[in-house]
Amino acid sequence: MIDSEYHATDEIIEVPQVRTIRVGSMPLWRKSEIAWGILRGALLYRLAGSRRFPIIHKDVKVRSSNGVVRVGHLSEIHDRVVLSAIGERDGEQAKLFIGDYTSIWYGTVVSARHEITIGRHCAISWNCTIIDNDMHEIVNAGGLAPAKKNSAVRIQDHVWIGASAIVLKGVTIGENSVVGAGAIVTSDVSPNTLVAGAPAKPIRSIAGWR
């Protein structure tokens, strides 16, 4: 046994902060799926823009009323995802912005009443919920109105959110962080941090994920 095997080091391990898409190595069915997804996003959902072609799969629901949904270049939205930007009547437009090369998997719901921003190169797993509002207002005893706070949700670049996690209003998740499966995120997450639990708590600092 060599002692150096257990020697602590302060060396920083560089982890690429991107999700690489290698189309050339994909099987034919996967290439076809992406091609149809790009056409569907451009023609059926009208989510494409100048040099911006998202991949939208079947049974995706995009809902907007006094709101705008923008999906980034080659971001992939899988089956049964709901993207919603429904602003308050006579209020400001709701905004749901998703950056480039981000993937959102089956059954996830992203609902913006005010503003939700998801960064580039993020991976959001299946059956997650990301929401910037309570949908209904709690009436306190004595008729006191609940205190207002900034409800915007900001998920920065290269964040991985595990299956069935919930991200609630007013939360910022720092870049290069990981949210464990089933976590309920009720407060800000620092960059390069793994959180888990309900409510989510920091577990440890991380170099990244891939």
Side-chain angles (χ1 to χ4, degrees):
M1 184 179 295
I2 302 173
D3 291 341
S4 61
E5 290 179 1
Y6 295 91
H7 180 66
T9 176
D10 293 328
E11 180 184 1
I12 297 175
I13 300 173
E14 292 291 339
V15 176
Q17 308 305 306
V18 296
R19 297 176 62 255
T20 304
I21 299 176
R22 297 184 176 89
V23 177
S25 62
M26 292 178 180
L28 183 59
W29 67 265
R30 177 66 172 136
K31 293 177 182 177
S32 176
E33 184 180 57
I34 289 175
W36 280 111
I38 290 173
L39 287 173
R40 191 179 293 112
L43 301 179
L44 181 60
Y45 288 87
R46 300 185 182 277
L47 289 174
S50 177
R51 299 184 180 180
R52 177 171 55 84
F53 297 99
I55 304 163
I56 310 295
H57 293 287
K58 295 182 296 183
D59 299 323
V60 171
K61 288 184 170 58
V62 179
R63 296 172 174 164
S64 63
S65 175
N66 190 27
V68 58
V69 176
R70 182 186 186 279
V71 182
H73 183 58
L74 293 186
S75 282
E76 190 166 8
I77 312 300
H78 289 268
D79 302 26
R80 297 182 290 106
V81 168
V82 177
L83 303 178
S84 173
I86 300 178
E88 295 177 349
R89 186 178 298 178
D90 302 323
E92 293 185 3
Q93 270 197 334
K95 302 177 183 68
L96 171 52
F97 297 149
I98 299 169
D100 300 337
Y101 306 106
T102 282
S103 178
I104 301 180
W105 283 78
Y106 309 105
T108 285
V109 174
V110 186
S111 176
R113 177 67 60 86
H114 306 287
E115 181 180 352
I116 296 177
T117 303
I118 299 172
R120 304 173 75 248
H121 297 284
C122 291
I124 299 173
S125 192
W126 50 85
N127 296 329
C128 295
T129 300
I130 302 170
I131 191 168
D132 70 351
N133 66 97
D134 296 327
M135 294 296 183
H136 302 278
E137 184 174 322
I138 295 174
V139 179
N140 294 326
L144 296 176
K148 298 289 185 180
K149 71 170 190 175
N150 179 16
S151 62
V153 172
R154 295 181 174 86
I155 298 171
Q156 297 180 350
D157 294 343
H158 199 248
V159 169
W160 174 17
I161 298 179
S164 299
I166 299 174
V167 179
L168 297 179
K169 66 179 185 179
V171 164
T172 295
I173 300 178
E175 63 182 3
N176 201 33
S177 291
V178 175
V179 175
I184 301 178
V185 185
T186 60
S187 58
D188 291 352
V189 176
S190 299
N192 294 86
T193 302
L194 167 64
V195 301
K201 300 293 184 185
I203 303 300
R204 64 177 185 271
S205 296
I206 57 175
W209 61 273
R210 58 190 169 210

